């Protein structure tokens, strides 16, 4: 039997990218059996550069979009789940891009990529293919992150959303999805209707749905790392759900399954940022086998 091994490395992007790229996550997984992985809704746009095998999306978030292979996949925000087929080994770099950076890097609001997956080169042209090509022969995570800095830094411009939309998005994320649309509208100086219309145009989803996605992301990360004595009901309360049933309904709507099914059937994911030292100012380098993974105990009230 081949030993399972996980390698996760975080990197801080260059100064010009930090306003909208939270971090880089390098990953290498070996020895896992071929399976399907769920690509879950998140506060980040999906932006993953494969090293080696392509990323094989066998079911898109939009059922009308056909399955596709990607060397460098870019997706807008989503409120449903994609299915990704993988072999025993996976390697690549995930760019934790907030939707606030879509205009700066791609010259378009994130809403234009809502519920859609594309090859980066189809959006930005040859420079998108350059990122994939330069990463293939590059060894060492620090050098790979430097390639990302160089290529993405060349794309970055001073285009950005309206200040009111930046405020609204950052408030939704900072509150872990527990801020009300009324409070957002009052603080922004816009009416609820105008805020909702502009927010959806910029990000692809309404402020209320964005809050659900952010809350769901927090809850599923908590559940992955909670020790056995922490119940689903406790996580539901900590994340602002009315009760456990409310949490379960949101998981079925956004992940396509119950919390128990999600945790039982999934494999390590680059979306699970708490696997590595989030917030570290330096690169974090972690090797782990499948039976000895560090667990972060969630803070519960």
């Amino acid at each position: 039997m081949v030993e399972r091994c996980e390698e996760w490395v975080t990197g801080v992007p260059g100064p010009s990218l930090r306003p909208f790229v939270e971090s880089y996550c390098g990953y290498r997984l070996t020895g896992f059996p071929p399976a399907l992985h769920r690509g879950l809704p998140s506060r980040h746009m999906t932006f993953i550069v494969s090293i080696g095998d392509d990323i094989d999306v066998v079911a898109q978030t939009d059922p009308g979009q056909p399955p596709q292979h990607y060397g460098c996949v870019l997706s807008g925000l989503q409120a449903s789940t994609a299915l990704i087929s993988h072999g025993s080994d996976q390697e690549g770099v995930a760019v934790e891009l907030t939707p606030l950076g879509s205009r700066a890097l791609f010259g378009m609001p994130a809403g234009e990529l809502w519920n859609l997956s594309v090859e980066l080169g189809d959006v930005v042209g040859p420079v998108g293919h350059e990122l994939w090509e330069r990463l293939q022969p590059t060894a060492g995570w620090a050098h790979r992150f430097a390639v990302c800095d160089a290529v993405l830094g060349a794309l970055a411009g001073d285009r950005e959303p309206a200040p009111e939309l930046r405020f609204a998005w950052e408030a939704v994320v900072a509150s872990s999805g527990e801020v009300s649309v009324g409070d957002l509208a009052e603080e922004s100086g816009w009416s609820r209707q105008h805020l909702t219309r502009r927010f959806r145009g910029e990000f692809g989803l309404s402020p209320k749905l964005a809050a659900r996605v952010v809350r769901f992301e927090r809850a599923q990360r908590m559940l992955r790392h909670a020790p056995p004595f922490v119940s689903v009901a406790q996580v539901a309360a900590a994340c602002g759900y009315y009760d456990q049933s409310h949490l379960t309904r949101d998981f079925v709507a956004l992940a396509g399954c119950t919390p128990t099914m999600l945790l039982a059937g999934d494999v390590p994911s680059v979306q699970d940022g708490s696997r590595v030292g989030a917030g570290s100012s330096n690169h974090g380098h972690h090797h782990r086998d499948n039976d000895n993974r560090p667990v972060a105990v969630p803070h519960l009230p």
Side-chain angles (χ1 to χ4, degrees), residues 1 3-6 32 268 288-295:
M1 180 179 294
E3 182 181 7
R4 296 181 181 182
C5 181
E6 302 176 45
F32 287 86
R288 316 171 191 192
D289 63 36
N290 194 50
D291 298 316
N292 186 28
R293 297 177 188 163
V295 173

Side-chain angles (χ1 to χ4, degrees), residues 264-279:
D266 210 1
V267 297
S269 167
V270 297
Q271 292 179 303
D272 189 5
S274 54
R275 286 186 174 277
V276 289

Side-chain angles (χ1 to χ4, degrees), residues 30-265:
T30 59
F32 287 86
L36 289 179
H37 162 70
R38 294 176 186 270
L40 300 172
S42 165
R43 70 184 187 278
H44 296 113
M45 298 174 68
T46 299
F47 187 177
I48 304 174
V49 189
S50 67
I51 297 173
D53 293 342
D54 281 353
I55 298 163
D56 184 11
V57 181
V58 297
Q60 306 275 7
T61 55
D62 178 359
Q65 185 179 4
Q68 186 60 272
H69 298 271
Y70 303 95
C72 181
V73 64
L74 174 67
S75 305
L77 299 175
Q78 62 194 66
S80 57
T81 296
L83 292 179
I84 299 97
S85 176
H86 63 82
S88 59
D89 299 340
Q90 303 175 64
E91 188 169 4
V93 175
V95 180
E96 293 205 319
L97 174 67
T98 78
L100 297 172
S102 184
R103 286 184 182 271
L105 290 184
F106 315 128
M108 66 174 70
E112 291 194 23
L113 294 169
W114 161 254
N115 212 29
L116 178 67
S117 295
V118 296
E119 184 71 39
L120 178 63
D122 293 340
V123 175
V124 299
V127 69
H129 300 296
E130 178 190 355
L131 178 60
W132 183 88
E133 290 170 354
R134 289 181 60 180
L135 281 179
Q136 301 311 301
T138 301
W141 293 110
H143 295 297
R144 288 171 173 177
F145 297 154
V147 168
C148 293
D149 276 349
V151 176
L152 298 181
L155 283 175
D158 58 3
R159 306 167 293 261
E160 60 181 44
E164 294 87 351
L165 294 172
R166 173 177 288 276
F167 158 76
W169 177 262
E170 291 178 342
V172 168
V173 172
S175 71
S176 297
E178 296 190 54
V179 66
S180 71
V181 179
D183 288 343
L184 289 176
E186 183 176 353
E187 290 293 327
S188 69
W190 289 349
S191 69
R192 289 173 61 108
Q193 293 79 8
H194 185 68
L195 172 64
T196 298
R197 183 171 61 254
R198 291 288 303 274
F199 193 100
R200 182 179 285 113
E202 185 67 36
F203 304 118
L205 71 177
S206 69
K208 184 175 181 180
L209 182 53
R212 283 181 65 197
V213 167
V214 170
R215 182 173 55 192
F216 159 79
E217 182 181 33
R218 182 187 181 208
Q220 62 97 1
R221 287 186 174 181
M222 269 192 179
L223 287 169
R224 290 182 192 279
H225 298 282
F229 60 81
V230 175
S231 68
V232 176
Q234 286 177 295
V235 171
C239 293
Y241 292 95
Y242 296 124
D243 53 26
Q244 182 175 336
S245 296
H246 182 202
L247 180 148
T248 299
R249 288 194 300 273
D250 251 24
F251 269 64
V252 171
L254 297 174
C257 64
T258 66
T260 300
M261 292 170 62
L262 179 65
L263 299 182

